Amino acid sequence: MNASISCSHHLSFFDAEDATVVQDLMKEIWKETHNKKLRYQLDSGISDLLEGKNERALNTFTSIIQSDPSYGEAWNKKATVHYMNGDMKESLVAAEKALELDPRNFQALAGIGLVEMDTYRWEQAIDAFRKSLELNPWSMVSARLSVCLNRNKDLPKQSEWPWNRE
């Protein structure tokens, strides 16, 4: 965990190529666990996810979390599967849990931003994307942040939407 904090704090000092290496290192740190079986299961779930076997991946990540609820990367991957399946509410719950376990997990923040963006919650998306970029200035979310900023300035605040009025 401390290595994660240290690496993400210094990402802005790297050029794009070096930052990619550091990002990959941080992802490996997030995957690390004391339980080799759970790590193997996580890698298998990620493989299933990459192969489009979303239900199988979701079952794997859920099983890992049942075995070790403190395994943040399992929560983050579970959030990814829910997002890919279009289940925004469950994706947000899982991403927030990953972020609770590691507040500097820029991938979880980016995932929260994507959910908020896809549910038209522009201000929340902007906040999540900005926090992700603070931790990882090389993140791919900068284009998404730009879209949210443009949309947000042209739309009324959510509290002013007609369907939010009583």
Side-chain angles (χ1 to χ4, degrees), residues 49-131:
L49 185 60
L50 292 172
E51 293 175 11
K53 300 173 185 172
N54 292 4
E55 202 58 40
R56 186 170 165 178
L58 182 60
N59 291 336
T60 299
F61 300 136
T62 300
S63 174
I64 293 169
I65 291 165
Q66 288 170 344
S67 296
D68 182 359
S70 69
Y71 196 176
E73 194 56 16
W75 283 102
N76 191 44
K77 295 306 180 197
K78 183 175 182 175
T80 301
V81 177
H82 282 305
Y83 179 82
M84 292 176 72
N85 288 342
D87 189 348
M88 299 302 156
K89 182 178 178 182
E90 290 300 318
S91 179
L92 191 58
V93 167
E96 287 174 343
K97 183 63 179 181
L99 195 58
E100 176 187 316
L101 293 166
D102 183 358
R104 299 186 64 85
N105 188 326
F106 55 79
Q107 285 188 306
L109 281 164
I112 290 169
L114 290 172
V115 169
E116 301 292 16
M117 181 179 173
D118 286 357
T119 55
Y120 309 104
R121 294 167 40 108
W122 305 114
E123 292 172 22
Q124 291 86 342
I126 289 166
D127 184 55
F129 287 147
R130 281 187 173 150
K131 287 177 181 174

Side-chain angles (χ1 to χ4, degrees), residues 23 32 41 44 72 82 87-89 95 102 149 152 155 161:
Q23 289 177 81
E32 212 36 60
Q41 286 178 307
S44 295
H82 282 305
D87 189 348
M88 299 302 156
K89 182 178 178 182
D102 183 358
L149 289 169
N152 194 48
L155 295 173
W161 289 357

